[in-house]
Amino acid sequence: MIDAVESVRVGLVVAFTLLGLFFTFVSMTGVLRLPDVYSRAHTASQADTLGAGFALAAVAAAVGWTGGGVQDGAPAVFHLRDEPDGGPRDRPGRLRGGDRAVDRGGRASMTGATLAAPVAAQVTLVEASLFVFVVLTALATALARDVLAAVIVFGAYSLGMAALYTFYRAPDVALTEAAISAGVTTVLLLLTLAKTTRMDHEAPFESVNLPAAGAAGFLLVGLLLTMGDIPAVGSPDAPVWSNPAVTQWYLTETYAQTHVENTVMGVLAAFRGFDTFGEAVVVFAAGVGALIVLHREVFA
Amino acid sequence: MSVLDAAIVAGYTVTDFLLVAAAAFTVLAIGMLYRAVKGPTMQDRVLAVNVLGTNTVVILAILSAALGEPTFLDIALVYALLNFLMAIAISKFTVERGGVL
């Protein structure tokens, strides 16, 4: 009986996802190929909404059926994969009550060498497509001649970054990216544009300064060369584990010393308070700059 | 056991399927990006970014299901709300210069 229900549910997930993909594909074709903005807006409002609805129904069928069961099921997914090397549960110095550390551990073992081949290929697939999207939007933002077009494409860039952060299991960073980049930055840039002038341009793209591009390329290659020395996420050889006594001291003593429940917050606000104070000065300076741009004396 | 690892067909789980679907949605987003870059009018770009935003919400939701983290759906919610705000702000800016919000 349970098996029958489960297979119906899996079938629903697959069917809804495929329908969502199909209608989103229809919408993409329409947005790309229809002749004018009105018909493009029509396909966006009809086909794309339908596609998103089906895809979200698939997500609902995948996570929203058993209520609490999903919470228990999530680690099981990783546990399944972690069997060969003992899994993150046996990792020394696992953080007490730190969800992030468990996440990082599970994620690290997902990308580990002991992983089954098909899964590794698909993880790379999501990453690769997101990377292409992010790099393309970043290039378009940098090269766009029209400032308003650059602002709009920069919004698309933040979409890709938020998805990438989510994929790397950093939901706090993804939320910040969503709130700051999509919301605040766009509005601030538009406000700045409204207070200044926008030139009309014939050419859609900026011409590239070759020496500058070459220098930037050298810098990029130099930075990428250092990547090989960075330990893998969750690696037991990472410097943070090389001195477990220090790590453990912060984990056990942070609350006693600072009365902040979140260890990361305690380190940020108390133990390295002077650094944070410096950052606060930078933010204050940025606020003053924004007031000057807006010709205001107070934020009201 | 949740549905995500209950159905293992030939070594593939629903998680794998959802990850592939997320990649496919991203590929579609790359296609839509052409309209955001090319234009030709600002309305086209706003429209393209709006469609891209909807697509991103879908990708975020699928990722949250695939990674087994239902709380990640909050990010999709925040994005849906802010994407709307972004589209309104840019539209209003193009219609009446200087009026952003």
Side-chain angles (χ1 to χ4, degrees):
Chain A
M1 183 57 197
I2 292 297
D3 281 347
V5 171
E6 285 294 289
S7 51
V8 164
R9 195 165 136 192
V10 171
L12 276 181
V13 171
V14 172
F16 280 147
T17 310
L18 291 179
L19 275 171
L21 268 174
F22 171 73
F23 282 109
T24 309
F25 177 75
V26 170
S27 150
M28 184 201 76
T29 315
V31 166
L32 287 187
R33 308 227 24 188
L34 285 176
D36 58 74
V37 67
Y38 305 106
S39 42
R40 287 176 203 144
H42 187 73
T43 190
S45 64
Q46 309 291 319
D48 197 57
T49 307
L50 200 55
F54 274 122
L56 293 179
V59 171
V63 302
W65 195 297
T66 52
V70 173
Q71 306 284 353
D72 305 331
V77 175
F78 293 115
H79 191 64
L80 209 67
R81 309 261 158 79
D82 290 336
E83 296 289 2
D85 60 349
R89 285 166 184 79
D90 303 329
R91 191 178 304 288
R94 181 178 159 214
L95 298 186
R96 172 180 53 88
D99 292 342
R100 284 290 287 279
V102 179
D103 288 346
R104 291 290 154 86
R107 166 100 187 94
S109 57
M110 266 188 85
T111 53
T114 53
L115 196 66
V119 180
Q122 283 135 19
V123 167
T124 318
L125 205 63
V126 177
E127 277 172 309
S129 49
L130 281 173
F131 278 146
V132 170
F133 182 79
V134 165
V135 168
L136 281 180
T137 44
L139 276 179
T141 308
L143 293 179
R145 196 117 172 91
D146 189 287
V147 190
L148 184 54
V151 170
I152 295 175
V153 180
F154 186 61
Y157 167 83
S158 78
L159 305 175
M161 285 311 288
L164 204 56
Y165 290 140
T166 308
F167 183 72
Y168 286 141
R169 291 164 176 272
D172 44 351
V173 187
L175 262 182
T176 312
E177 178 74 26
I180 301 296
S181 234
V184 180
T185 309
T186 308
V187 172
L188 278 182
L189 288 175
L190 287 178
L191 272 175
T192 315
L193 270 185
K195 297 286 178 187
T196 54
T197 53
R198 183 161 69 95
M199 312 281 187
D200 284 327
H201 301 288
E202 294 294 319
F205 289 115
E206 203 73 61
S207 63
V208 178
N209 183 337
L210 283 181
F218 271 120
L219 187 65
L220 178 69
V221 171
L223 287 175
L224 284 179
L225 284 179
T226 67
M227 291 296 285
D229 290 335
I230 296 177
V233 177
S235 160
D237 303 328
V240 71
W241 297 122
S242 69
N243 206 340
V246 174
T247 311
Q248 201 58 42
W249 186 87
Y250 277 110
L251 290 177
T252 49
E253 295 296 319
T254 297
Y255 185 73
Q257 303 237 344
T258 67
H259 295 281
V260 179
E261 288 181 12
N262 186 317
T263 309
V264 176
M265 181 58 78
V267 170
L268 268 180
F271 290 120
R272 41 159 286 188
F274 279 113
D275 285 3
T276 309
F277 176 68
E279 289 168 12
V281 169
V282 172
V283 173
F284 175 75
V288 172
L291 285 180
I292 292 173
V293 168
L294 298 176
H295 289 297
R296 300 253 183 92
E297 293 196 355
V298 287
F299 285 107
Chain B
M1 289 293 262
S2 79
V3 64
L4 296 182
D5 50 291
I8 302 175
V9 184
Y12 290 91
T13 60
V14 174
T15 302
D16 299 334
F17 175 74
L18 288 176
L19 282 177
V20 173
F25 272 106
T26 315
V27 170
L28 291 177
I30 294 173
M32 292 165 184
L33 187 62
Y34 173 81
R35 185 55 67 200
V37 174
K38 179 86 190 315
T41 67
M42 280 304 153
Q43 283 75 21
D44 280 306
R45 294 200 171 98
V46 174
L47 174 70
V49 167
N50 215 342
V51 174
L52 279 173
T54 311
N55 210 340
T56 306
V57 170
V58 168
I59 294 172
L60 288 173
I62 289 181
L63 279 182
S64 101
L67 301 176
E69 303 261 6
T71 51
F72 284 10
L73 285 172
D74 292 353
I75 306 170
L77 270 180
V78 168
Y79 226 110
L81 291 169
L82 286 174
N83 184 50
F84 177 69
L85 175 77
M86 186 163 72
I88 295 288
I90 301 174
S91 307
K92 198 158 179 227
F93 179 84
T94 53
V95 173
E96 38 183 289
R97 286 289 317 261
V100 176
L101 283 178

